[in-house]
Each structure stands twice: as structure tokens, then as C-alpha cells.
Amino acid sequence: MGVRVLKPGLLTTIQDLGRNGYQSQGFGVSGVMDRRSFTIANLLLDNPQDEAVIEFTLIGPTLEFTSETIIAVTGGNFQPMVNKRPIKMYTAIYMNKGDILEFAGCKTGCRGYIAFSSFLNVPLVMGSRSTNIKCGIGGFQGRKLRERDLIIFRQKRRYLPQFLSRSLDINEFQNQEEITLRVVLGPQNDYFTEKGIETFLSGVYTVSKDYDRMGCRLEGPMIESKGGTDIISDGIAFGCIQVPSGKPIILLADRQTTGGYAKIATIASVDIPKLAQQKPGNTVRFTAVTVEEAAKLILDEEREFESFRNEIRKPCAEVLTSRLTAKRLSKLFVRAGD
């Protein structure tokens, strides 16, 4: 079967890496806000890199499992529990039929992710299972999840090799009330004065309440332009920073496809997850990097992901040292789907 929604949380949707290749036709990309947490969740379960997950914001959902599967919870620390007992994040967790997953509250970060080894059975729409709420497509019926929704799994539970070692000691987003985001200046930074660019790179900005999956408005010092920031509308990239009326707006996963304001900079893609996990009232600084430096950051992160893969695929020490009885091992492997 699958998983039933008992409580939906504040904003809970199904997302993957997004609906790429259709912005020229007016369809937004959507997809996860925090690609790092998304990637690690799927990595823990040996899922395909772009397998759909459940993304939730500020208040986590309560889910009942109507069949067995294995899950991984990543992102901000929402204090996950199974049947009222705390479970580890960044760990493969076996779920029995009838188990209840819920969250005690958002302790750190802003968004959480749940990956499933059995895969969520929602349709591919233009190559993606991501929910685009404005267009009403993708995900579960093109909308956020509601009470009593039942999401079917695409397949039965899968065997996961080295199940007992599928855990990472990661403490992301620990009380990051101020973050620094690396940015590549442009493509329209020439619309701003030297003073304006200096203000942008030296100022401290506060995440406002106008913050959702579409964009994040920042409050702080005015950024001086040479003569206004209106431009002929052009394409919008994930993490680009428009400056209408002297105040920056960072455009995110559900951004519009084009925009008519000058973009002073674009956030290096590896830093977007840090912003995705910020709450209103937290502060942001910017520092400039080159395109080459931003590309190197991506390569460094890919190497980090590969080290994670190696770590979770290592033979389990408990098995190698025979610390567990044969009966105990048998129970563990049954629960792991072996």
C-alpha cells in the first residue's frame, strides 16, 4: 500500500529536483528547496538521485504507514518520532505496517525531508514528480498534502545492503541565526553603482516574513542603482537576487520563469540550502566568488557525497565482530528486508 496523512503539517508537498526544460513555455521548475538534504536522504536509501520525497516546512506531518518500507529523515531537526519514540535523523529506519511517524517540533532549520525506499507512486508530469501548486500539476493531485490523503508506493520494500551502517553523523543547520552566502555577481550588476555593490556585499540583511517557496524578501540597507532597476524581462535562475526599489529579493524553487528587475547576483548553488533552512528574523550576509570558485564548490560537494556513500556502504561492524547472537541478527535482517 503506502502512507496515509493523518495531519498534513503547515506546507507539505511531494518534490524532486524539479521540472527542468520548460521555463521557455512558462512552466516553473519547482522541486526541493534544500537539494543537499534531499540528496542525502535518497543516498541513505540507495534511491535514484532524483527520486521524489516529501518536503515539509516549519510544522511536520503525521503519517501512518499502511505497509512496510524504509525511510530516511533529513533537513532541519524536527525531532522525529515513530510510535512516540524518538528516532535518529540521517539514518535508514525500518517502518512496519501501522507505524506512526510524527514530529515533536522544529528545533533547528526550517524544512525537513522524508525519503522512501518503496518510492512514492505519483505521476511523472513533464519528466518530474514535483508539485507545482500554482499550476496544479505534479505531486499528489497538484496540491499540498491534506488530512486523509493516501499515497501509494510504487514497489514493495527493497533490500538495502549494509542496512545497519546506513547512518550519517550529520548535524546540519545548528542555530545558524546568521549565515554568509557566496554569490556570483551579475548578470546585471552593471545597473548598480560601486557604492550599491559595496553596500550589498558589506550589509547585514534580515529574512522578512515575506518568505516562501517562491522567494525570500530581505530587509536591510538600500542598494543604490545608477538609474533604476527596470529591465526587459529575462530568465530567472534558482537563487538569483533581484533588487526592486533598492531591497533584495532572492528567487527560489517556485519562482516565476522571467523577471523585469536587474539581478545584482546569483547565490552559489551549494549555499542555497543554507538559505532554505533560515527562519524569518535570521540574518544574511553576502560575499562574492568567481564562477570558477562556485564550480569548484560543486565539485567539492560531490566529493563529500561520495564519501557519504562509502561510509554508509561499509560492512557493519556489529556483523563483522559477531557481537550479536544469530537470533538477534536474524531479526535485524528480517526488519531490513533481507
Side-chain angles (χ1 to χ4, degrees), residues 286-328:
F286 299 101
T287 185
V289 296
T290 65
V291 172
E292 291 76 17
E293 288 170 329
K296 183 179 182 299
L297 293 173
I298 294 174
L299 295 176
D300 290 343
E301 186 175 59
E302 284 299 322
R303 283 190 283 268
E304 184 183 24
F305 289 155
E306 186 59 32
S307 73
F308 290 162
R309 289 187 187 95
N310 293 334
E311 182 176 348
I312 67 173
R313 289 175 179 172
K314 65 186 178 184
C316 178
E318 290 178 312
V319 175
L320 291 177
T321 58
S322 300
R323 293 177 183 171
L324 301 176
T325 65
K327 184 177 180 181
R328 174 61 175 153

Side-chain angles (χ1 to χ4, degrees), residues 173-200:
F173 323 116
Q174 296 298 309
N175 301 316
Q176 291 182 318
E177 295 183 359
E178 180 172 296
I179 59 171
T180 297
L181 300 175
R182 291 164 287 195
V183 298
V184 176
L185 292 175
Q188 287 104 23
N189 55 303
D190 56 336
Y191 272 63
F192 302 91
T193 64
E194 289 186 10
K195 179 182 176 182
I197 293 175
E198 180 183 352
T199 298
F200 171 70

Side-chain angles (χ1 to χ4, degrees), residues 274-295:
K274 292 196 293 185
L275 176 67
Q277 294 292 349
Q278 296 305 295
K279 297 183 179 74
N282 290 358
T283 54
V284 175
R285 293 178 180 269
F286 299 101
T287 185
V289 296
T290 65
V291 172
E292 291 76 17
E293 288 170 329

Side-chain angles (χ1 to χ4, degrees), residues 31 40 89 126 165 190-191 255 270 275 318 333:
I40 296 174
M89 296 187 59
M126 293 182 284
S165 65
D190 56 336
Y191 272 63
R255 62 196 180 276
V270 300
L275 176 67
E318 290 178 312
F333 284 127

